[in-house]
Amino acid sequence: MAVNAGRNQEGILSMDLKLSGKTVVLTGASKGIGLAALRTFAMEGARVIAAARASPALEVEVAALRKAGHDVIACPCDITRDDDVQNLIETAQRYAGRIDVLVNNAAGKLPAGDFMAISSQEWLDGWNEKLQCYIRTAQAVFPLMRDQGGGRIVNVVGAAARNPKASYMAVGVTNAGLINFTKSLADHGAPHGILVAGVAPSGVMTDRWRRLIEKRAEGEGKTPKALQAEMDATFPLGRMADPEEVGDVICFVASPRASYISGSIITVDGASTTGVFN
């Protein structure tokens, strides 16, 4: 199949993912992977409802995209709260009349460091900061997608699900649960034309990653700089991913060009995962 590619007005290389006119709800859109995906969705002509906790930076980004002619709005949302998520879905439905794509990307603070120093409450709070958030948004959007005849749900998980680390245990366990959830939801959605897939990056140079490295370093008795240098040395490509490299894959998986991908986890890790997985 031929793919049309060219430079858009911002000078960014773009290929036609057939996302023009599609409505995308994107959580965690204010920074890192989410911000990169927001920009790519906008450049591909999608209508994007960009969600994050109240964020002046997101407001500035959305204003710039709208000035450039893109159909993007911001919606403040704390996805750890049922009411906020319901408001997000209702806002998108009022604005666009339908939701073609939900991208679950937002994640709050998950505990890391010494296993014995992490309390039961911190484990529970961590699950609600990511695992339950994805479940919450999927439950909110599923009836709408079912009634409209289909849709896409893309869950951004993490390569830690398949690469256990004692100092990174809660993050790995949470992401492993999300892989199981993604496959189960794909089975549940298939009869309704709802495709569900995951995108699993390994280390990505985001602010969240830098915070996690600090906690891991504390648990391992190292400086963050030393641990980061060790991490870089383990990547076959000699570096961690840029957010844009993951954001582009998210947009592809969410697009009509990926119309037979469901129940799978697309790993974006520069060959760093040890083993072969679906």
Side-chain angles (χ1 to χ4, degrees), residues 197-208:
V199 173
S202 57
V204 183
M205 288 304 298
T206 65
D207 290 339
R208 178 173 173 270

Side-chain angles (χ1 to χ4, degrees), residues 211-271:
R211 292 196 303 270
L212 289 171
I213 277 290
E214 289 177 0
K215 291 297 293 183
R216 281 186 60 181
E218 180 182 342
E220 296 180 20
K222 302 171 183 176
T223 66
K225 183 177 180 180
L227 181 56
Q228 183 62 60
E230 289 180 16
M231 291 295 299
D232 287 340
T234 66
F235 287 93
L237 299 184
R239 65 176 178 84
M240 294 173 60
D242 293 325
E244 292 76 15
E245 292 173 307
V246 182
D248 288 350
V249 176
I250 292 169
C251 292
F252 170 71
V253 172
S255 78
R257 290 196 177 275
S259 58
Y260 207 63
I261 295 176
S262 192
S264 298
I265 307 297
I266 311 303
T267 303
V268 187
D269 68 350

Side-chain angles (χ1 to χ4, degrees), residues 29-191:
S30 63
K31 54 190 175 182
I33 294 170
L35 180 57
L38 168 60
R39 290 169 175 165
T40 302
F41 274 122
M43 304 308 173
E44 291 292 332
R47 178 186 301 112
V48 187
I49 292 82
R53 290 184 174 99
S55 170
L58 179 59
E59 296 287 350
V60 170
E61 180 68 26
V62 166
L65 288 170
R66 290 183 65 84
K67 185 176 181 180
H70 301 294
D71 191 355
V72 179
I73 64 169
C75 182
C77 178
D78 179 350
I79 60 169
T80 68
R81 300 174 56 86
D82 290 347
D83 290 347
D84 273 26
V85 169
Q86 194 59 44
N87 178 65
L88 169 64
I89 300 305
E90 291 174 358
T91 297
Q93 192 172 13
R94 285 194 303 270
Y95 184 74
R98 60 182 288 119
I99 298 173
D100 298 293
V101 177
L102 166 67
V103 177
N104 277 318
N105 172 67
K109 183 179 179 181
L110 285 83
D114 183 1
F115 168 65
M116 295 303 297
I118 302 173
S119 69
S120 293
Q121 190 59 52
E122 286 176 313
W123 276 89
L124 292 171
D125 290 344
W127 289 336
N128 190 45
E129 288 284 316
K130 188 166 185 179
L131 177 59
Q132 188 59 38
C133 289
Y134 285 26
I135 294 170
R136 181 179 290 112
T137 52
Q139 282 185 321
V141 81
F142 195 95
L144 175 61
M145 288 185 173
R146 179 191 60 210
D147 293 347
Q148 72 190 18
R152 309 291 178 93
I153 298 175
V154 181
N155 294 326
V156 180
V157 296
R162 292 164 170 164
N163 296 276
K165 278 276 189 181
S167 62
Y168 207 47
M169 192 183 300
V171 179
V173 169
T174 298
N175 282 292
L178 283 173
I179 288 178
N180 191 290
F181 171 64
T182 297
K183 172 56 178 168
S184 298
L185 188 62
D187 293 344
H188 186 61

